[in-house]
């Protein structure tokens, strides 16, 4: 299957310090996604495609932080006024902190859009497309459609949260959706969440491909 680079976007999800080793919400081997993402971004943009990155960008006291709630610890799931079933996390990706910065070796030269999400103190956003109320748009779909993009390749962190919701929303927005299997890593909490996310994505028609196949297919 050939992919027309000019109608393709690489969507880099939350490649940020806090999700990498040493960060507040570190994903095992999270930084191993950077090299394959850089390779994809450079090759795609060289052929006339686009790359965009998301940045989880929470104000202090964000509703997704366990510390913002009385007697709640990370891992607990609560109902908030806007979201039924919001998981609570350690404080992470606080606006303006080093933890919120995109990872240092992520090559931003090919990246033409950085979209921030989760900036509303009372509403979280896992997906690059829609916030966790599943209604509020980040505007990304409009940008994609305006540019005539038809295929979205998703990489980044984490497979079972922000990558999952972004890929599902991409597919549900009518876009061909590929997950770059060398360029994603999962949180794995609760246990089995990565496997569950992968099988749900695959059963929805999202295709997982290694970097060499994605690169070979670009034309
Ligand atoms: C993420 C939990 C909370 C992610 C972001 O990038 O997958 N997960 N905020
Ligand atoms: Zn977050």
């Amino acid at each position: 299957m050939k992919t027309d680079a000019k109608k393709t976007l690489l969507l880099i999800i939350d490649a940020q310090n806090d999700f990498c080793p040493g960060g507040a919400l570190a994903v095992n081997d999270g930084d191993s996604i950077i090299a394959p993402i850089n390779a994809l971004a450079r090759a795609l943009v060289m052929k006339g495609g686009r790359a965009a990155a998301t940045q989880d960008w929470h104000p202090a006291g964000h509703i997704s932080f366990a510390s913002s709630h009385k007697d709640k610890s990370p891992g607990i799931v609560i109902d908030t006024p806007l979201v039924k079933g919001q998981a609570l996390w350690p404080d992470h990706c606080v606006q303006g902190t080093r933890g919120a910065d995109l990872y240092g070796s992520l090559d931003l030269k090919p990246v033409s859009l950085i979209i921030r999400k989760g900036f509303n103190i009372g509403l979280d956003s896992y997906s690059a497309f829609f916030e966790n109320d599943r209604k509020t748009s980040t505007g990304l779909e409009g940008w994609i459609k305006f540019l005539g993009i038809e295929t979205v390749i998703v990489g980044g962190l984490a497979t079972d949260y922000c990558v999952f919701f972004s890929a599902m929303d991409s597919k549900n927005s009518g876009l061909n959706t590929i997950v770059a299997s060398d360029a994603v890593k999962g949180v794995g909490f609760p246990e089995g969440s990565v496997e569950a996310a992968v099988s749900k994505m695959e059963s929805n028609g999202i295709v997982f491909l290694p970097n060499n196949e994605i690169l070979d297919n670009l034309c």
Side-chain angles (χ1 to χ4, degrees):
M1 193 191 64
K2 289 283 168 205
T3 310
D4 180 354
K6 293 192 176 57
K7 293 180 179 174
T8 301
L9 169 71
L10 173 67
L11 183 56
I12 305 162
I13 304 295
D14 297 1
Q16 290 167 267
N17 290 327
D18 268 344
F19 298 118
C20 290
L25 186 36
V27 173
N28 262 338
D29 277 338
D31 52 343
S32 67
I33 62 156
I34 302 291
I37 283 180
N38 285 343
L40 287 176
R42 289 167 186 150
L44 179 61
V45 171
M46 186 113 73
K47 291 192 157 138
R50 292 276 194 148
T54 63
Q55 199 171 11
D56 212 33
W57 193 249
H58 301 311
H62 191 251
I63 198 155
S64 76
F65 297 170
S67 65
S68 305
H69 306 269
K70 206 170 157 289
D71 300 327
K72 296 275 186 290
S73 40
I76 285 175
V77 177
I78 63 164
D79 291 341
T80 71
L82 293 173
V83 178
K84 211 172 150 288
Q86 170 68 50
L88 298 181
W89 304 98
D91 293 19
H92 65 279
C93 299
V94 176
Q95 295 171 356
T97 64
R98 213 191 90 77
D101 287 347
L102 292 166
Y103 197 73
S105 58
L106 179 70
D107 186 0
L108 289 175
K109 292 192 293 296
V111 174
S112 50
L113 176 74
I114 296 175
I115 194 150
R116 289 174 168 164
K117 61 182 181 61
F119 50 77
N120 178 337
I121 196 163
L123 179 60
D124 200 8
S125 187
Y126 291 151
S127 166
F129 291 85
F130 293 99
E131 301 191 41
N132 286 8
D133 61 356
R134 311 310 298 136
K135 287 196 293 249
T136 307
S137 174
T138 63
L140 180 62
E141 184 182 358
W143 186 82
I144 287 175
K145 301 251 163 109
F146 190 84
L147 291 175
I149 287 162
E150 293 175 357
T151 298
V152 173
I153 302 167
V154 187
L157 305 168
T159 315
D160 34 354
Y161 291 94
C162 293
V163 167
F164 171 76
F165 281 95
S166 298
M168 292 292 282
D169 284 349
S170 170
K171 184 73 189 174
N172 288 329
S173 301
L175 298 155
N176 303 318
T177 304
I178 296 165
V179 172
S181 54
D182 299 325
V184 293
K185 285 274 178 236
V187 171
F189 179 86
E191 211 191 311
S193 64
V194 173
E195 294 75 8
V198 170
S199 71
K200 195 152 176 206
M201 287 188 270
E202 285 181 329
S203 65
N204 276 272
I206 295 167
V207 180
F208 281 66
L209 292 177
N211 259 40
N212 62 341
E213 278 186 47
I214 296 174
L215 292 169
D216 284 350
N217 290 345
L218 279 183
C219 60

